Amino acid sequence: MSVKPRPLAPQIACGDCQIRHRAVCARCDGDELRALEEIKYYRRFEAGQTLVWSGDRMDFVASVVNGIATLTQTMEDGRRQMVGLLLPSDFVGRPGRARAPYDVTATTDVMLCCFRREPFEAMIRETPHLAQRLLEMTLDELDAAREWMLLLGRKTAREKIASLLAILARRNATLQARAGSGGTITFDLPLTREAMSDYLGLTLETVSRQISALRRDGVIHLEGKRHITVPDMNRLLSEAGDDSDGGLVD
Amino acid sequence: MSVKPRPLAPQIACGDCQIRHRAVCARCDGDELRALEEIKYYRRFEAGQTLVWSGDRMDFVASVVNGIATLTQTMEDGRRQMVGLLLPSDFVGRPGRARAPYDVTATTDVMLCCFRREPFEAMIRETPHLAQRLLEMTLDELDAAREWMLLLGRKTAREKIASLLAILARRNATLQARAGSGGTITFDLPLTREAMSDYLGLTLETVSRQISALRRDGVIHLEGKRHITVPDMNRLLSEAGDDSDGGLVD
DNA sequence: CGAGCGGTTGAGTAGGATCAATTGTTGTGG
DNA sequence: CCACAACAATTGATCCTACTCAACCGCTCG
């Protein structure tokens, strides 16, 4: 249980940063960036590591630079629900709160750009660009959370799986900048079956069965356990129950 | 289907407003309040009315002054999930977005304090107090949404009901300023069984059965259909699975 | 080689959904 | 004043989806 010395990564100039235009700092001008450079430092985590435990003191907030992390809540008897999926440029922590309300776990290797909390809170108060961007990001997260609530409360297991795959596919599509809506899309699952079950409010057995079912029905193709091909995105979307089109299965 | 002329309510001075210190305007100083007075107007809605339809254009944002409203999402086949419960001082609408993503419905008579969207957005940019308060409120809503996700994804029907009752009881307790944690609490359900089922991701039959079960087991008492007494708040909390104490049922 | 881990599949079960009947309660019109 | 419709809610019977428990596969690592 001994903790390795925290891996501090070398400083990167904000100007060279991959997430410069999507993270909290997106709207900051030159002076503001320089102020941020003063209070930032990088930390690297390995896949599987817990970055923060629920209830822990957090004296930083951070942007995810690369990798994927999750927020999860756990009940006393061990039931777990993922409540956040953090991708590059997403924000971790809450200004004005010292204790973490959720476990934060790295599902892949993760690099964080951390800001010491106190000076960051001061900047929020003083530089409107930072506060405005954070507000915008928080509103987006709230919308995502509400979409997620519909999934958890009302969708069937099959629809849940299809929805998650659609989210991941769409994300990869924007990165690959292809596939208007109908084309073939390919990506790797960044989550284990267990993590997927925590996301979807299912058991891992049900996740596995439904993935198999979608494969049998030709909605997706699988190579190995993790590599997924979606031959027809519209088909996947209609399986997800989201429908832009009208569910024209037959 | 004819729409009554929208009920415009008489103007109230911000200084006399019940929600002055909890709404978006909570941190505003005198000048800022005066600017808000310029762009605000009141609207009243009757119980059951839909304030906004999903997809509609919204050219205002608003604070709930009194009454209770809900945000709901609906799938094509009619499955519905509530994704927000709006109480007095809560905020409706999103600066920077013209179209409503959810249906907003009054469950009781509701009064809104509306701000025309364009000037309000300008104020967000210029008066940091407004933006800061809105950020804070949005972060609180995000936390609430994540708590709700745990409920939807992992709790049993009985725990869901107990959780909802605990939330409503706690809210009334703060209003009545009593009942540290153990005392008797009494309140009226502001929701129909159907609205509760939309909140909890259940059917209304299951809601009814579980309320009956909690009554049989002495966790709550019922007078009529809507008036609820909680003799032991800790008992209710442990039924909800939230537990501050360890679930010491036997 | 065996242990550990991620994943798949099968058999049996249970919790909540579905379909249906019934009881108030309220409000409307004759 | 009562009959009737509309609506909220309760309760019962039955069904089915997803959970539970269990065995097993393939791969990696020590």
Side-chain angles (χ1 to χ4, degrees):
Chain A
M1 261 309 184
S2 79
V3 176
K4 295 178 193 172
R6 83 160 58 150
L8 272 173
Q11 202 77 354
I12 299 172
C14 287
D16 299 341
C17 181
Q18 310 148 308
I19 59 168
R20 166 74 179 91
H21 298 287
R22 293 195 298 151
V24 245
C25 49
R27 300 244 192 301
C28 289
D29 61 29
D31 283 347
E32 292 163 349
L33 273 192
R34 268 184 291 281
L36 278 178
E37 300 253 25
E38 290 296 310
I39 62 169
K40 90 179 190 191
Y41 55 96
Y42 290 90
R43 288 179 68 181
R44 198 193 314 275
F45 297 87
E46 286 169 28
Q49 264 191 300
T50 296
L51 319 200
V52 186
W53 294 96
S54 167
D56 273 7
R57 208 184 150 68
M58 265 186 92
D59 33 37
F60 63 91
V61 296
S63 292
V64 176
V65 178
N66 54 50
I68 295 181
T70 63
L71 302 183
T72 56
Q73 276 189 306
T74 308
M75 297 170 68
E76 302 74 34
D77 60 7
R79 281 176 283 174
R80 303 204 315 150
Q81 176 63 51
M82 196 188 297
V83 296
L85 185 59
L86 302 175
L87 306 177
S89 83
D90 283 341
F91 190 77
V92 188
R94 173 174 172 162
R97 176 161 54 197
R99 298 203 170 272
Y102 317 109
D103 293 335
V104 186
T105 310
T107 63
T108 65
D109 289 355
V110 164
M111 172 96 87
L112 291 188
C113 173
C114 303
F115 307 102
R116 287 183 293 121
R117 196 162 55 79
E118 312 251 333
F120 186 86
E121 286 170 13
M123 280 191 70
I124 288 272
R125 267 174 260 120
E126 284 145 34
T127 77
H129 287 161
L130 205 54
Q132 277 161 25
R133 177 64 186 143
L134 187 54
L135 174 58
E136 196 173 38
M137 292 175 71
T138 306
L139 287 165
D140 285 341
E141 268 189 276
L142 188 55
D143 280 343
R146 285 172 167 164
E147 205 65 46
W148 201 336
M149 285 169 56
L150 175 64
L151 177 150
L152 290 172
R154 294 303 188 191
K155 289 190 176 179
T156 64
R158 184 181 174 99
E159 288 169 336
K160 285 178 174 183
I161 297 288
S163 298
L164 174 56
L165 294 178
I167 288 169
L168 296 172
R170 212 193 298 271
R171 185 173 65 81
N172 269 64
T174 54
L175 294 184
Q176 295 170 25
R178 57 222 276 316
S181 72
T184 294
I185 294 176
T186 276
F187 62 98
D188 282 309
L189 277 177
L191 301 175
T192 63
R193 299 292 185 264
E194 189 178 22
M196 292 175 72
S197 75
D198 286 341
Y199 186 112
L200 300 170
L202 297 170
T203 59
L204 65 88
E205 293 95 330
T206 299
V207 170
S208 185
R209 276 186 247 276
Q210 294 297 336
I211 288 179
S212 298
L214 289 175
R215 177 170 45 73
R216 266 197 305 279
D217 298 345
V219 182
I220 57 173
H221 299 169
L222 272 180
E223 285 167 73
K225 309 295 186 185
R226 296 290 192 93
H227 191 75
I228 293 204
T229 303
V230 179
D232 177 356
M233 193 60 191
N234 283 333
R235 173 83 193 282
L236 183 63
L237 287 175
S238 92
E239 291 284 356
D242 288 337
D243 278 302
S244 34
D245 71 49
L248 32 71
V249 179
D250 49 329
Chain B
M1 261 314 188
S2 80
V3 177
K4 294 178 193 173
R6 81 161 59 149
L8 272 172
Q11 201 78 354
I12 299 172
C14 287
D16 298 341
C17 180
Q18 309 148 309
I19 58 168
R20 166 76 179 88
H21 299 288
R22 292 195 297 152
V24 244
C25 51
R27 301 242 192 301
C28 290
D29 61 31
D31 283 348
E32 292 163 349
L33 273 192
R34 268 184 291 282
L36 278 178
E37 301 252 26
E38 289 297 310
I39 62 169
K40 88 178 190 190
Y41 55 96
Y42 290 90
R43 288 178 68 182
R44 199 194 314 276
F45 298 87
E46 285 168 32
Q49 264 192 299
T50 296
L51 318 201
V52 186
W53 294 97
S54 167
D56 272 7
R57 205 181 155 69
M58 264 186 94
D59 35 33
F60 64 90
V61 296
S63 292
V64 177
V65 177
N66 54 51
I68 295 183
T70 63
L71 304 183
T72 57
Q73 276 189 305
T74 308
M75 297 171 68
E76 301 74 33
D77 60 7
R79 281 176 283 175
R80 302 206 313 150
Q81 176 64 51
M82 197 188 295
V83 296
L85 184 61
L86 301 175
L87 306 177
S89 84
D90 282 342
F91 189 78
V92 187
R94 173 174 172 162
R97 177 161 55 195
R99 298 205 170 271
Y102 318 109
D103 294 335
V104 186
T105 312
T107 62
T108 65
D109 289 355
V110 163
M111 172 98 87
L112 292 188
C113 173
C114 302
F115 308 102
R116 287 184 292 122
R117 197 162 56 78
E118 312 251 332
F120 186 86
E121 286 170 10
M123 280 192 70
I124 287 272
R125 268 174 258 119
E126 283 144 34
T127 76
H129 287 160
L130 204 55
Q132 278 160 25
R133 178 65 185 141
L134 187 54
L135 174 58
E136 197 173 38
M137 292 174 72
T138 307
L139 287 165
D140 285 341
E141 268 189 277
L142 187 55
D143 281 345
R146 285 171 168 165
E147 204 66 45
W148 201 338
M149 287 170 56
L150 175 65
L151 177 150
L152 290 172
R154 294 305 188 189
K155 289 190 176 179
T156 64
R158 184 179 174 99
E159 287 169 337
K160 285 178 174 181
I161 297 288
S163 298
L164 174 56
L165 294 178
I167 288 169
L168 296 172
R170 214 193 296 273
R171 184 173 67 82
N172 269 63
T174 54
L175 294 184
Q176 295 170 24
R178 60 222 276 313
S181 73
T184 294
I185 293 176
T186 276
F187 62 99
D188 281 310
L189 277 177
L191 302 175
T192 65
R193 299 291 185 264
E194 188 178 24
M196 293 174 71
S197 74
D198 286 341
Y199 186 112
L200 299 171
L202 298 170
T203 59
L204 65 88
E205 293 93 329
T206 298
V207 169
S208 185
R209 275 187 247 277
Q210 294 298 335
I211 288 179
S212 298
L214 289 175
R215 178 170 45 72
R216 264 198 306 281
D217 299 346
V219 181
I220 58 174
H221 299 170
L222 272 181
E223 285 168 73
K225 308 296 187 187
R226 295 291 192 91
H227 191 75
I228 293 204
T229 303
V230 180
D232 177 356
M233 193 60 191
N234 283 334
R235 174 82 193 284
L236 183 63
L237 287 174
S238 92
E239 291 284 357
D242 288 336
D243 280 301
S244 32
D245 71 49
L248 31 72
V249 179
D250 49 331

